[in-house]
Amino acid sequence: MKDKILEVFTKSGGLVSAVVVLLGFLVGTLLVVIVGRDPGGMYSAILQSVSGFSIHPRTGLWVWNVRHIGEWITSSLPLILCGLSMGFAARTGLFNIGAEGQYVMGLTAAQFAAFYFPHIPGLHAIYAVFLAVLAGAIWGGIVGFLKARYKVSEVVATIMMNYIALFLSRILTVRIPGTSTFRTPDFPESARLTSTFMETITNHSRLNHGLFLVIGAILFYWIVMEKTSLGYSLRATGFNREAARYGGIGVNKNITTAMAIAGAFAGLAGAVVALGSFTHGRVLAGQDGFGFDGIAVALVGNSNAFGIALAGLLFGMLRSAQPLMQARNIPREITVIIMGLIVVFISLRAGVKLLIEWQMKEKARKGGTGNA
């Protein structure tokens, strides 16, 4: 019975994700209690973030502000895209730690397109988004080429490319006329992804047209990976490169392609943040962290398109709840700890799998000894 439970646990990605999320929140709750705070404040902040409902401090009555829902979804969009970036590479047997750098290059390209491309309403934003996707794809494709051609570790290469992207972005952005040490002039309206309708129905939140781009990216990921011959060859490469090569699949081409598409997802995240969440460009002082959080999102989502979408909403909920927690005297760092714990717990899945395999080998060995 015990073996059966362990086997089900390791094979069911959805079950694993649900259990580790619950464990993360459980430990997070204990930490809140240990530091002498009321865990009810943490959960009321999370409830307010995802539903908009909260209790008025003076009247004690329930009030509803839909703006919190809009901000929750807005916070989730880049996390979902960076999760798709990590997940797409993972399905090909690659570990893309470089989504942060690809995101930065997409963000930088979108900012430059906003200022230097023709200010044509309806087309300007499309140009900017396309350039961001292209920049992210090139940045990821470079790593894929180095991996395929020269066997350079994608882990080392992407880590270094993250820092190159950050400082290259700073060097280029400060050259935009009128830019200060931390921001550029305001973007032209034609380049922004803002939606008056979405802002109105969410009480002036930052929710924007990036929502539709993310939905399109999720569907693209699912269709390509699950329904096309390209997706089949990419998955085959991820399962066993030598077997795929023996079967006539272009492994080196697939590695480069996978990293380029992964970079495109992260580059799109940069465009969604730059043109959707801000009215001006930024001179990045440090990394935003969406690419690194995307690793956790992909792990929790089991590198599945819709699983990543749900995991992105979960992590976006924790991000958007941070200021609400501070207002309730709960340390905002608790959300970061919960996210870290979720990643640690889900990583234990590999350990459980090794335990099962060891037990099965022991059973087979003892069975063979008994028959002898």
Side-chain angles (χ1 to χ4, degrees):
M1 187 64 174
K2 175 185 173 184
D3 294 344
K4 191 69 177 176
I5 293 173
L6 286 172
E7 187 175 356
V8 171
F9 184 76
T10 53
K11 288 184 177 180
S12 175
L15 178 61
V16 173
S17 297
V19 170
V20 298
V21 168
L22 290 174
L23 284 173
F25 275 96
L26 176 61
V27 177
T29 302
L30 292 175
L31 289 174
V32 172
V33 173
I34 290 172
V35 297
R37 301 290 191 271
D38 179 13
M42 179 179 77
Y43 288 105
S44 66
I46 291 173
L47 174 65
Q48 185 177 359
S49 172
V50 299
S51 69
F53 284 102
S54 62
I55 298 177
H56 196 280
R58 292 182 180 177
T59 64
L61 299 175
W62 284 94
V63 294
W64 185 58
N65 187 351
V66 70
R67 185 176 186 277
H68 295 294
I69 300 176
E71 290 298 324
W72 163 44
I73 297 174
T74 302
S75 298
S76 302
L77 298 182
L79 293 172
I80 293 172
L81 289 170
C82 289
L84 293 175
S85 176
M86 170 63 187
F88 199 92
R91 296 288 290 272
T92 318
L94 302 167
F95 199 75
N96 181 26
I97 303 182
E100 184 69 25
Q102 295 146 20
Y103 158 86
V104 169
M105 292 308 294
L107 179 146
T108 305
Q111 292 182 166
F112 268 83
F115 289 112
Y116 294 110
F117 274 43
H119 298 178
I120 305 172
L123 290 179
H124 194 182
I126 295 174
Y127 295 151
V129 169
F130 175 77
L131 188 64
V133 170
L134 181 62
I138 291 173
W139 210 249
I142 291 171
V143 175
F145 174 77
L146 293 174
K147 172 73 174 181
R149 184 67 183 272
Y150 301 107
K151 310 302 179 187
V152 176
S153 169
E154 74 275 16
V155 174
V156 175
T158 50
I159 289 174
M160 300 309 296
M161 294 284 277
N162 285 341
Y163 290 100
I164 295 172
L166 174 62
F167 292 109
L168 182 61
S169 174
R170 288 178 56 83
I171 291 170
L172 294 176
T173 305
V174 294
R175 296 179 182 275
I176 297 174
T179 299
S180 67
T181 55
F182 64 93
R183 61 162 289 173
T184 70
D186 286 345
F187 292 133
E189 280 298 318
S190 58
R192 299 189 62 209
L193 295 174
T194 51
S195 166
T196 304
F197 173 73
M198 290 186 182
E199 289 178 356
T200 302
I201 64 173
T202 58
N203 194 20
H204 305 291
S205 77
R206 295 175 299 162
L207 190 62
N208 55 75
H209 285 122
L211 173 64
F212 300 112
L213 295 175
V214 173
I215 293 173
I218 294 168
L219 293 176
F220 174 83
Y221 181 109
W222 177 72
I223 292 171
V224 169
M225 193 57 73
E226 308 295 343
K227 303 295 180 181
T228 66
S229 57
L230 172 62
Y232 173 81
S233 66
L234 291 174
R235 286 184 282 117
T237 302
F239 283 130
N240 191 314
R241 288 178 190 169
E242 295 309 315
R245 186 177 282 112
Y246 180 78
I249 293 174
V251 171
N252 289 348
K253 178 183 176 183
N254 280 352
I255 290 173
T256 305
T257 300
M259 284 301 299
I261 295 176
F265 284 123
L268 179 58
V272 168
V273 171
L275 304 178
S277 297
F278 292 90
T279 60
H280 58 270
R282 291 182 296 150
V283 180
L284 297 175
Q287 293 165 334
D288 284 345
F290 290 118
F292 298 119
D293 287 347
I295 298 173
V297 170
L299 288 172
V300 175
N302 206 31
S303 296
N304 174 277
F306 301 110
I308 288 172
L310 292 175
L313 289 171
L314 169 68
F315 282 76
M317 172 190 74
L318 292 171
R319 267 190 175 239
S320 61
Q322 287 180 345
L324 300 174
M325 287 185 184
Q326 277 193 310
R328 291 165 170 80
N329 210 20
I330 304 291
R332 62 184 297 165
E333 290 77 13
I334 287 294
T335 60
V336 180
I337 294 172
I338 291 174
M339 288 190 275
L341 288 169
I342 290 173
V343 175
V344 170
F345 290 142
I346 206 164
S347 299
L348 293 176
R349 179 182 181 183
V352 174
K353 185 178 180 181
L354 289 173
L355 175 62
I356 291 173
E357 290 175 351
W358 175 77
Q359 287 183 335
M360 291 176 67
K361 288 179 182 178
E362 284 295 303
K363 271 188 177 181
R365 184 179 63 80
K366 290 179 181 178
T369 305
N371 290 333

